[in-house]
Amino acid sequence: MVRYAEPGVVEWVESGGGPLIAVPETVLPFWAGADGEETASDYDRACEVDGHVGLLPVGDCTALVLGDEPASTAYLPDHGAFVRWCAGDSEDELLASVPAAIRTAEWGTEVNWEVPGTVLLFDAAWPGTDTSGTDHVRIALEPGRYAVRAARVQPGPETWLDLVHLRLLAPR
């Protein structure tokens, strides 16, 4: 786990160059990552997601793919959002821009994501059974259906970030 600020304040996850994925803990063993004998691995399926977000079936659930580019990503529970660091001089500057960025973002099309509870965010190339070898963060989400929307925001001349906002629609 990469930490740019005080330990435990914000935990950033990075990938080796591909997309990140948020997989419900209940189905982690079903995510094979880049492993497997199939002609198209789970990682290949994640790489095929077009745009900032997409959903992929994993076991009897759905995982959220954070596509577009392999940016350092953190989940900010106070904002219900994944923040993807595209460019910025400092973490403090980037994080300070998040509230205004969420209010002024031009959001893309929403998708609905059914979540059974806690998810693990990690590099989509890794199998769900071996996330200890990669950056990852555990995100406690309330079970239910979420509206997921994404936007690229430039809150300052040298600061760009992608936002993936989650809004609980129907708790279980």
Side-chain angles (χ1 to χ4, degrees), residues 36-60:
E37 307 278 329
E38 305 283 327
T39 54
S41 68
D42 286 341
Y43 176 73
D44 292 331
R45 292 188 310 133
C47 289
E48 290 174 3
V49 167
D50 189 29
H52 295 284
V53 295
L55 301 174
L56 288 178
V58 179
D60 63 354

Side-chain angles (χ1 to χ4, degrees), residues 26-41:
T26 58
V27 295
L28 277 173
F30 297 104
W31 182 260
D35 292 348
E37 307 278 329
E38 305 283 327
T39 54
S41 68

Side-chain angles (χ1 to χ4, degrees), residues 26-134:
T26 58
V27 295
L28 277 173
F30 297 104
W31 182 260
D35 292 348
E37 307 278 329
E38 305 283 327
T39 54
S41 68
D42 286 341
Y43 176 73
D44 292 331
R45 292 188 310 133
C47 289
E48 290 174 3
V49 167
D50 189 29
H52 295 284
V53 295
L55 301 174
L56 288 178
V58 179
D60 63 354
C61 292
T62 307
L64 179 67
V65 177
L66 304 182
D68 194 38
E69 63 180 67
S72 294
T73 302
Y75 183 73
L76 304 179
D78 292 348
H79 300 288
F82 291 99
V83 176
R84 310 199 72 206
W85 187 340
C86 300
D89 291 331
S90 74
E91 180 184 44
D92 289 341
E93 178 183 306
L94 184 91
L95 293 175
S97 71
V98 169
I102 288 174
R103 283 192 308 277
T104 61
E106 293 182 26
W107 299 101
T109 305
E110 284 187 352
V111 296
N112 287 329
W113 183 31
E114 190 71 34
V115 179
T118 300
V119 300
L120 207 67
L121 178 70
F122 59 97
D123 186 330
W126 285 86
T129 56
D130 190 23
T131 54
S132 62
T134 184

